[in-house]
Amino acid sequence: MMKTRRLFYENVYQKDFEAEVLFCGEDEAGTYVILDQTVFYPEGGGQPADRGVLCPEHDGGVHETCENRPESAAGAAATSGEPESSGSLSMKRSGQISVLDVQYAGESGEDIRHYVDQPLSAGTKVHGFIDWERRFDLMQQHSGEHIVSGCVHKKYGYDNVGFHMGEDVITIDFNGLLDEVQLLQVEKEVNDYIWENRPARIFFPDAEERKRLPFRSKKELTGEVRLVEFPGGDLCACCGLHVEAAGEIGLVKLLSVKHFREGVRVEMVSGKRALRLLHQHLEANSRVAVELSVKPDQTPEAVRHLQDEIYALKGQIASLRQEQFAMRASQCRGKGSVLVLEQNLDAAEVRKEADAVLDTCGGICVVISLEEPRSEKQKDGNNGAGGKYAIGQRDGDVRELVKEMNGALSGKGGGKPFFAQGSLQAEKKDIVDFFTRKGFMIV
Ligand SMILES: [Zn+2]
């Protein structure tokens, strides 16, 4: 076992450090180095590993002004205007080595392996930088999760039975049911607690104390137990990294609750992620507001109005179509076999029209609705004409005709012997020629 001093437990706010490479090796996950000390947190307790860079062969004294100091992820994001990515390896500069992952490993499970994109020989001095933006975000999410779990535990007695820190949201699974009203209540209490800004306490209780303390834990613990306490908010066994005062979490937003297994799954975000989400939603709503020419707080009403209008227009279209079909039917009365050409009808309308005409024509009725481009944009992308068809004959058999038509006009579709529906890809002229040759009257 190679002992690495865990600087991340001594000061969670340390962003860079100097170290010496003790060992460089390779395992199934890749090339790794073990350092004499590190601020890189290895994945554990539900918290993902830190990422960052190592700057090799850089000796003492100049690191405060180290010209290789990576730009902070936040700085890079602010200039590009993009929402910052959490895994910013773009912070790397030339000559630096990326730390892609950090894991506990080895026989004792306590070696800290820094997986790197280039090997480094033992004895090399390095200056390491963690991606601080990402780390602090994970601390905000993790501490927020503890306080939410503690609050749900206190109010309802449920346990956190599953926890995942995703790239976008954090999920917590509880072994009991919560509804949205209760969720809002939890959210309020959690934020009230956060704004009291009480300091967190991390301690290692002895066996006696451990028996007395009502701490949350997912599993039976042996050996030393590290407890993370947000006094009055939560007490939980955890090896992860946390903010030192609850106020640093800033804000907790509970996003959703849904049934999961025997309980519920809650989605949440904390801190800067909550701000980012607020920004995204405001942006989306203001785009809707611009489209609808209303103020941002009037979009729900405006959308409802629009839906009413669409509903009314659909009703009007349906009754106009009915009139149109009745007119076609009377136009075709007694004409025998007819081809009716239409534009932009949907499949149900094509069928309805064919049905209406079949009542009067006395022969085979073919209705073909061609799709005309409805906008300039569509026109550009549309070179071949296409259409939907319905074809039938009262008490007749149109299967042979459908087969022949599909062959001649690149169609597909079928149905009953006396009625078929489908689509075809052909120019209007070719359609008219085909049916004229068959002796159809073109309407
Ligand atoms: Zn934890």
Side-chain angles (χ1 to χ4, degrees), residues 251-285:
L251 180 73
V252 160
K253 180 67 200 159
L254 303 183
L255 304 172
S256 67
V257 57
K258 54 177 183 252
H259 280 264
F260 184 73
R261 304 233 167 104
E262 80 279 21
V264 290
R265 170 165 288 182
V266 172
E267 283 190 327
M268 63 172 283
V269 288
S270 299
K272 213 165 173 182
R273 289 196 197 189
L275 180 63
R276 197 159 67 203
L277 196 70
L278 177 64
H279 180 75
Q280 281 168 6
H281 282 261
L282 287 175
E283 177 73 25
N285 188 52

Tab-separated table of all heavy atoms in Angstrom, residues 251-285:
chain	number	residue	atom	x	y	z
A	251	LEU	N	-29.033	27.633	-2.901
A	251	LEU	CA	-30.442	27.358	-3.151
A	251	LEU	C	-30.603	25.885	-3.498
A	251	LEU	O	-29.781	25.324	-4.198
A	251	LEU	CB	-30.909	28.211	-4.345
A	251	LEU	CG	-32.362	28.064	-4.782
A	251	LEU	CD1	-33.294	28.734	-3.789
A	251	LEU	CD2	-32.574	28.678	-6.151
A	252	VAL	N	-31.686	25.287	-3.009
A	252	VAL	CA	-32.028	23.930	-3.438
A	252	VAL	C	-33.366	23.999	-4.149
A	252	VAL	O	-34.314	24.593	-3.642
A	252	VAL	CB	-32.112	22.960	-2.238
A	252	VAL	CG1	-32.914	21.718	-2.596
A	252	VAL	CG2	-30.713	22.551	-1.796
A	253	LYS	N	-33.426	23.439	-5.338
A	253	LYS	CA	-34.696	23.371	-6.064
A	253	LYS	C	-35.041	21.903	-6.298
A	253	LYS	O	-34.279	21.170	-6.927
A	253	LYS	CB	-34.562	24.124	-7.397
A	253	LYS	CG	-35.819	24.133	-8.236
A	253	LYS	CD	-36.936	24.928	-7.591
A	253	LYS	CE	-38.283	24.544	-8.169
A	253	LYS	NZ	-39.413	24.890	-7.278
A	254	LEU	N	-36.187	21.479	-5.763
A	254	LEU	CA	-36.665	20.117	-6.008
A	254	LEU	C	-37.497	20.164	-7.287
A	254	LEU	O	-38.443	20.938	-7.391
A	254	LEU	CB	-37.486	19.620	-4.814
A	254	LEU	CG	-36.742	19.646	-3.468
A	254	LEU	CD1	-37.616	19.077	-2.359
A	254	LEU	CD2	-35.428	18.869	-3.547
A	255	LEU	N	-37.125	19.369	-8.270
A	255	LEU	CA	-37.700	19.518	-9.605
A	255	LEU	C	-38.905	18.629	-9.845
A	255	LEU	O	-39.836	19.013	-10.527
A	255	LEU	CB	-36.636	19.207	-10.661
A	255	LEU	CG	-35.350	20.038	-10.574
A	255	LEU	CD1	-34.317	19.503	-11.545
A	255	LEU	CD2	-35.649	21.495	-10.852
A	256	SER	N	-38.860	17.415	-9.324
A	256	SER	CA	-39.965	16.492	-9.604
A	256	SER	C	-39.962	15.359	-8.596
A	256	SER	O	-38.952	15.091	-7.949
A	256	SER	CB	-39.831	15.905	-11.019
A	256	SER	OG	-38.692	15.074	-11.081
A	257	VAL	N	-41.125	14.716	-8.495
A	257	VAL	CA	-41.230	13.520	-7.669
A	257	VAL	C	-42.089	12.521	-8.431
A	257	VAL	O	-43.123	12.882	-8.982
A	257	VAL	CB	-41.823	13.826	-6.273
A	257	VAL	CG1	-43.194	14.489	-6.368
A	257	VAL	CG2	-41.904	12.573	-5.414
A	258	LYS	N	-41.604	11.288	-8.541
A	258	LYS	CA	-42.439	10.266	-9.171
A	258	LYS	C	-42.250	8.915	-8.490
A	258	LYS	O	-41.228	8.673	-7.847
A	258	LYS	CB	-42.201	10.189	-10.681
A	258	LYS	CG	-40.779	9.987	-11.080
A	258	LYS	CD	-40.690	9.863	-12.603
A	258	LYS	CE	-39.291	9.581	-13.053
A	258	LYS	NZ	-38.591	10.658	-13.706
A	259	HIS	N	-43.250	8.059	-8.660
A	259	HIS	CA	-43.185	6.735	-8.045
A	259	HIS	C	-41.978	5.982	-8.557
A	259	HIS	O	-41.678	6.007	-9.744
A	259	HIS	CB	-44.452	5.936	-8.369
A	259	HIS	CG	-45.592	6.317	-7.504
A	259	HIS	ND1	-45.925	5.624	-6.368
A	259	HIS	CD2	-46.436	7.348	-7.595
A	259	HIS	CE1	-46.943	6.208	-5.800
A	259	HIS	NE2	-47.285	7.258	-6.519
A	260	PHE	N	-41.297	5.322	-7.645
A	260	PHE	CA	-40.148	4.510	-8.040
A	260	PHE	C	-40.032	3.379	-7.026
A	260	PHE	O	-39.954	3.622	-5.829
A	260	PHE	CB	-38.879	5.356	-8.053
A	260	PHE	CG	-37.671	4.617	-8.536
A	260	PHE	CD1	-37.522	4.315	-9.886
A	260	PHE	CD2	-36.701	4.197	-7.654
A	260	PHE	CE1	-36.421	3.618	-10.346
A	260	PHE	CE2	-35.582	3.493	-8.102
A	260	PHE	CZ	-35.446	3.206	-9.444
A	261	ARG	N	-40.058	2.131	-7.548
A	261	ARG	CA	-40.038	0.960	-6.662
A	261	ARG	C	-41.101	1.126	-5.576
A	261	ARG	O	-42.235	1.460	-5.871
A	261	ARG	CB	-38.639	0.753	-6.066
A	261	ARG	CG	-37.575	0.640	-7.154
A	261	ARG	CD	-36.722	-0.602	-7.003
A	261	ARG	NE	-35.941	-0.814	-8.223
A	261	ARG	CZ	-34.632	-0.537	-8.338
A	261	ARG	NH1	-33.965	-0.076	-7.312
A	261	ARG	NH2	-34.024	-0.761	-9.481
A	262	GLU	N	-40.697	0.918	-4.297
A	262	GLU	CA	-41.721	0.998	-3.238
A	262	GLU	C	-41.904	2.435	-2.747
A	262	GLU	O	-42.721	2.685	-1.862
A	262	GLU	CB	-41.359	0.057	-2.075
A	262	GLU	CG	-40.317	0.581	-1.107
A	262	GLU	CD	-38.869	0.417	-1.596
A	262	GLU	OE1	-38.647	0.275	-2.827
A	262	GLU	OE2	-37.968	0.439	-0.748
A	263	GLY	N	-41.158	3.372	-3.325
A	263	GLY	CA	-41.254	4.753	-2.842
A	263	GLY	C	-41.282	5.761	-3.971
A	263	GLY	O	-42.051	5.607	-4.915
A	264	VAL	N	-40.437	6.769	-3.840
A	264	VAL	CA	-40.398	7.816	-4.872
A	264	VAL	C	-38.958	8.137	-5.264
A	264	VAL	O	-38.021	7.883	-4.517
A	264	VAL	CB	-41.059	9.132	-4.380
A	264	VAL	CG1	-42.557	8.974	-4.260
A	264	VAL	CG2	-40.445	9.630	-3.075
A	265	ARG	N	-38.832	8.704	-6.454
A	265	ARG	CA	-37.559	9.271	-6.897
A	265	ARG	C	-37.750	10.781	-7.026
A	265	ARG	O	-38.675	11.253	-7.694
A	265	ARG	CB	-37.147	8.669	-8.242
A	265	ARG	CG	-35.958	9.396	-8.881
A	265	ARG	CD	-35.341	8.595	-9.995
A	265	ARG	NE	-34.605	7.454	-9.439
A	265	ARG	CZ	-33.910	6.583	-10.185
A	265	ARG	NH1	-33.882	6.710	-11.493
A	265	ARG	NH2	-33.274	5.589	-9.616
A	266	VAL	N	-36.869	11.519	-6.355
A	266	VAL	CA	-36.928	12.981	-6.398
A	266	VAL	C	-35.745	13.486	-7.217
A	266	VAL	O	-34.623	13.022	-7.046
A	266	VAL	CB	-36.860	13.560	-4.957
A	266	VAL	CG1	-36.712	15.076	-4.982
A	266	VAL	CG2	-38.097	13.159	-4.164
A	267	GLU	N	-36.022	14.435	-8.108
A	267	GLU	CA	-34.941	15.076	-8.856
A	267	GLU	C	-34.704	16.462	-8.270
A	267	GLU	O	-35.666	17.176	-7.974
A	267	GLU	CB	-35.330	15.234	-10.326
A	267	GLU	CG	-35.236	13.949	-11.117
A	267	GLU	CD	-35.391	14.184	-12.618
A	267	GLU	OE1	-36.150	15.104	-12.990
A	267	GLU	OE2	-34.769	13.467	-13.391
A	268	MET	N	-33.441	16.812	-8.121
A	268	MET	CA	-33.138	18.111	-7.526
A	268	MET	C	-31.862	18.715	-8.109
A	268	MET	O	-31.040	18.009	-8.695
A	268	MET	CB	-32.965	17.969	-6.010
A	268	MET	CG	-31.803	17.078	-5.603
A	268	MET	SD	-31.478	17.103	-3.817
A	268	MET	CE	-30.640	18.674	-3.642
A	269	VAL	N	-31.709	20.019	-7.936
A	269	VAL	CA	-30.439	20.694	-8.221
A	269	VAL	C	-30.169	21.694	-7.101
A	269	VAL	O	-31.090	22.169	-6.447
A	269	VAL	CB	-30.441	21.460	-9.570
A	269	VAL	CG1	-30.398	20.508	-10.746
A	269	VAL	CG2	-31.637	22.401	-9.684
A	270	SER	N	-28.892	21.985	-6.911
A	270	SER	CA	-28.496	22.951	-5.892
A	270	SER	C	-27.576	23.992	-6.509
A	270	SER	O	-26.989	23.770	-7.570
A	270	SER	CB	-27.718	22.263	-4.765
A	270	SER	OG	-28.504	21.293	-4.139
A	271	GLY	N	-27.427	25.092	-5.775
A	271	GLY	CA	-26.396	26.082	-6.079
A	271	GLY	C	-26.462	26.633	-7.488
A	271	GLY	O	-27.514	26.980	-7.999
A	272	LYS	N	-25.280	26.654	-8.123
A	272	LYS	CA	-25.169	27.252	-9.441
A	272	LYS	C	-26.022	26.530	-10.478
A	272	LYS	O	-26.476	27.132	-11.441
A	272	LYS	CB	-23.700	27.199	-9.858
A	272	LYS	CG	-23.271	28.351	-10.711
A	272	LYS	CD	-21.756	28.387	-10.732
A	272	LYS	CE	-21.247	29.409	-11.713
A	272	LYS	NZ	-19.782	29.392	-11.764
A	273	ARG	N	-26.220	25.230	-10.267
A	273	ARG	CA	-27.083	24.501	-11.214
A	273	ARG	C	-28.505	25.040	-11.167
A	273	ARG	O	-29.198	25.045	-12.183
A	273	ARG	CB	-27.115	23.007	-10.888
A	273	ARG	CG	-25.835	22.315	-11.193
A	273	ARG	CD	-26.048	20.825	-11.238
A	273	ARG	NE	-24.764	20.140	-11.122
A	273	ARG	CZ	-24.585	18.844	-11.298
A	273	ARG	NH1	-25.622	18.076	-11.592
A	273	ARG	NH2	-23.397	18.301	-11.184
A	274	ALA	N	-28.959	25.455	-9.968
A	274	ALA	CA	-30.306	26.009	-9.849
A	274	ALA	C	-30.386	27.326	-10.608
A	274	ALA	O	-31.371	27.599	-11.303
A	274	ALA	CB	-30.667	26.207	-8.382
A	275	LEU	N	-29.331	28.114	-10.498
A	275	LEU	CA	-29.291	29.393	-11.218
A	275	LEU	C	-29.303	29.154	-12.731
A	275	LEU	O	-30.016	29.813	-13.491
A	275	LEU	CB	-28.030	30.172	-10.814
A	275	LEU	CG	-27.835	31.533	-11.488
A	275	LEU	CD1	-28.950	32.488	-11.113
A	275	LEU	CD2	-26.481	32.127	-11.113
A	276	ARG	N	-28.507	28.172	-13.161
A	276	ARG	CA	-28.424	27.856	-14.596
A	276	ARG	C	-29.783	27.405	-15.128
A	276	ARG	O	-30.211	27.799	-16.204
A	276	ARG	CB	-27.378	26.754	-14.788
A	276	ARG	CG	-26.896	26.608	-16.215
A	276	ARG	CD	-25.555	25.915	-16.231
A	276	ARG	NE	-25.663	24.537	-15.789
A	276	ARG	CZ	-24.647	23.838	-15.299
A	276	ARG	NH1	-23.467	24.382	-15.176
A	276	ARG	NH2	-24.811	22.585	-14.922
A	277	LEU	N	-30.469	26.598	-14.330
A	277	LEU	CA	-31.782	26.106	-14.732
A	277	LEU	C	-32.788	27.263	-14.832
A	277	LEU	O	-33.584	27.325	-15.765
A	277	LEU	CB	-32.259	25.080	-13.702
A	277	LEU	CG	-33.414	24.200	-14.135
A	277	LEU	CD1	-32.956	23.236	-15.215
A	277	LEU	CD2	-33.947	23.417	-12.944
A	278	LEU	N	-32.724	28.167	-13.860
A	278	LEU	CA	-33.607	29.333	-13.877
A	278	LEU	C	-33.370	30.136	-15.152
A	278	LEU	O	-34.305	30.543	-15.839
A	278	LEU	CB	-33.328	30.196	-12.639
A	278	LEU	CG	-34.116	31.509	-12.534
A	278	LEU	CD1	-35.602	31.224	-12.409
A	278	LEU	CD2	-33.634	32.320	-11.341
A	279	HIS	N	-32.095	30.316	-15.469
A	279	HIS	CA	-31.725	31.045	-16.672
A	279	HIS	C	-32.310	30.370	-17.922
A	279	HIS	O	-32.901	31.024	-18.770
A	279	HIS	CB	-30.200	31.117	-16.752
A	279	HIS	CG	-29.684	31.845	-17.943
A	279	HIS	ND1	-29.720	33.219	-18.038
A	279	HIS	CD2	-29.157	31.391	-19.099
A	279	HIS	CE1	-29.222	33.572	-19.212
A	279	HIS	NE2	-28.871	32.491	-19.875
A	280	GLN	N	-32.162	29.042	-17.997
A	280	GLN	CA	-32.684	28.308	-19.167
A	280	GLN	C	-34.193	28.464	-19.310
A	280	GLN	O	-34.705	28.667	-20.404
A	280	GLN	CB	-32.379	26.810	-19.033
A	280	GLN	CG	-30.963	26.432	-19.398
A	280	GLN	CD	-30.639	25.008	-18.978
A	280	GLN	OE1	-31.512	24.267	-18.521
A	280	GLN	NE2	-29.384	24.619	-19.112
A	281	HIS	N	-34.895	28.355	-18.176
A	281	HIS	CA	-36.355	28.443	-18.237
A	281	HIS	C	-36.822	29.846	-18.598
A	281	HIS	O	-37.772	30.010	-19.361
A	281	HIS	CB	-36.963	27.975	-16.911
A	281	HIS	CG	-36.973	26.486	-16.788
A	281	HIS	ND1	-38.084	25.728	-17.057
A	281	HIS	CD2	-35.991	25.614	-16.483
A	281	HIS	CE1	-37.775	24.441	-16.890
A	281	HIS	NE2	-36.520	24.356	-16.539
A	282	LEU	N	-36.154	30.861	-18.046
A	282	LEU	CA	-36.521	32.240	-18.383
A	282	LEU	C	-36.288	32.500	-19.863
A	282	LEU	O	-37.106	33.121	-20.537
A	282	LEU	CB	-35.708	33.230	-17.544
A	282	LEU	CG	-36.094	33.333	-16.068
A	282	LEU	CD1	-35.139	34.252	-15.333
A	282	LEU	CD2	-37.534	33.837	-15.923
A	283	GLU	N	-35.176	31.991	-20.352
A	283	GLU	CA	-34.820	32.149	-21.758
A	283	GLU	C	-35.882	31.486	-22.654
A	283	GLU	O	-36.359	32.081	-23.614
A	283	GLU	CB	-33.441	31.502	-21.966
A	283	GLU	CG	-32.904	31.488	-23.377
A	283	GLU	CD	-32.459	32.856	-23.835
A	283	GLU	OE1	-32.120	33.676	-22.959
A	283	GLU	OE2	-32.484	33.083	-25.059
A	284	ALA	N	-36.255	30.259	-22.312
A	284	ALA	CA	-37.251	29.527	-23.106
A	284	ALA	C	-38.581	30.285	-23.078
A	284	ALA	O	-39.220	30.474	-24.118
A	284	ALA	CB	-37.435	28.113	-22.555
A	285	ASN	N	-38.984	30.738	-21.888
A	285	ASN	CA	-40.267	31.440	-21.787
A	285	ASN	C	-40.226	32.759	-22.536
A	285	ASN	O	-41.206	33.144	-23.174
A	285	ASN	CB	-40.632	31.672	-20.323
A	285	ASN	CG	-42.034	32.210	-20.181
A	285	ASN	OD1	-42.982	31.654	-20.720
A	285	ASN	ND2	-42.176	33.329	-19.506
